[in-house]
Amino acid sequence: MVLKLYGSPVASCTLRVAVVLYEKKIPFELYPIDLQKGEHKVPTYLEKQPFGQVPLLDDDGFVVFESRAICRYLEAKYPNQGPKLVPASSDLKATALFEQAASIETANFDSFAGKVAVEGYIKPQFFNLPKNQVVYDEAAKTLSAKLDAYEKILSRQKYLAGDELTLADLYHLPFGTNVAAAGCDLLTSKGPNVTRWWKDISSRESWTAVKKGIPAGAIEFD
Ligand SMILES: N[C@@H](CCC(=O)N[C@@H](CS)C(=O)NCC(=O)O)C(=O)O
């Protein structure tokens, strides 16, 4: 049975999972959850996702939520399909550097890029709410300092965990794209290595397809 991805076609966390499905060409169907209508807070959904958030993956009755956990599940279930996005667990050092990169994204990028994206793009664009300039400026300032460290790391290696693309790089795509939509150009102005890395990952075929919109119905890949 084709994987069921419950989520919003415009929500960052849903798109984080979608890009991995496209990258690895794993057939799936998006079951849209309308956040503006509160479909993520109805009892039947809360039964599966007690926090009332998207996305959620249903694999023939097995349910897992949290976007990064879903991505790890997909890589573990389909290790030989498409690019390998997590190092082999037998490679202790590569695994440690992957875990480091994954933590860098959650600790040093996600919340700051998320605040910039929410204030500068998501609130005005989708909820008709004004941008809180103070929150936006503070988050952009912190993000800028964090990206100085990214610049150092990426001056020594191609991707965040080493010279191979991993899930840790792909995790940045939704908020990174929304940061630009929020009028913040840090990912292309901070330094040559951040710019090179960002252009590389954000121009991947998978992300280009996801940004165009996820079609209704089951999605099969050639
Ligand atoms: N850590 C979670 C965050 C999920 C999340 O915040 N989802 C948002 C959409 S991007 C949501 O459902 N927001 C509605 C809410 O929290 O009520 C993940 O990565 O899946």
Side-chain angles (χ1 to χ4, degrees):
M1 188 194 269
V2 72
L3 298 177
K4 296 178 186 168
L5 177 63
Y6 288 83
S8 159
V10 293
S12 305
C13 303
T14 304
L15 302 185
R16 182 173 295 121
V17 173
V19 73
V20 173
L21 290 161
Y22 272 74
E23 193 68 50
K24 294 184 75 69
K25 300 195 189 315
I26 301 167
F28 75 102
E29 180 163 355
L30 178 69
Y31 285 70
I33 300 286
D34 190 329
L35 301 182
Q36 276 162 333
K37 288 189 186 153
E39 288 176 357
H40 53 315
K41 303 295 183 193
V42 301
T44 46
Y45 188 78
L46 288 170
E47 198 56 43
K48 292 187 201 169
Q49 214 295 14
F51 298 98
Q53 292 185 317
V54 294
L56 175 150
L57 186 82
D58 181 333
D59 180 3
D60 203 12
F62 170 71
V63 167
V64 56
F65 55 84
E66 281 293 326
S67 59
R68 295 168 186 79
I70 298 171
C71 296
R72 296 288 284 264
Y73 174 73
L74 294 172
E75 177 60 29
K77 182 164 179 181
Y78 303 93
N80 301 320
Q81 192 165 321
K84 191 151 182 50
L85 295 171
V86 171
S89 57
S90 56
D91 190 336
L92 191 63
K93 290 180 180 169
T95 299
L97 293 178
F98 166 72
E99 295 296 351
Q100 173 181 282
S103 289
I104 287 171
E105 187 269 334
T106 52
N108 296 293
F109 183 83
D110 184 67
S111 68
F112 312 112
K115 280 191 186 127
V116 170
V118 166
E119 292 304 329
Y121 175 60
I122 295 167
K123 271 168 60 174
Q125 180 76 20
F126 297 104
F127 296 95
N128 203 21
L129 290 169
K131 166 190 191 181
N132 182 326
Q133 193 67 45
V134 176
V135 173
Y136 177 94
D137 288 345
E138 185 63 30
K141 193 173 154 206
T142 309
L143 182 62
S144 177
K146 299 290 186 184
L147 288 175
D148 285 332
Y150 272 64
E151 180 63 24
K152 276 192 198 135
I153 295 169
L154 292 165
S155 70
R156 299 192 290 256
Q157 59 199 44
K158 205 167 165 202
Y159 296 106
L160 206 51
D163 285 326
E164 303 294 333
L165 176 86
T166 67
L167 288 179
D169 300 294
L170 299 179
Y171 290 166
H172 292 76
L173 286 167
F175 274 154
T177 300
N178 288 348
V179 159
C184 173
D185 69 355
L186 283 171
L187 285 161
T188 48
S189 67
K190 195 70 230 183
N193 294 292
V194 168
T195 301
R196 166 192 55 72
W197 167 77
W198 176 249
K199 286 191 172 163
D200 176 337
I201 62 172
S202 62
S203 64
R204 290 184 74 81
E205 206 179 302
S206 56
W207 184 238
T208 305
V210 168
K211 275 196 304 181
K212 276 190 195 142
I214 302 166
I219 298 169
E220 303 284 345
F221 297 92
D222 298 332

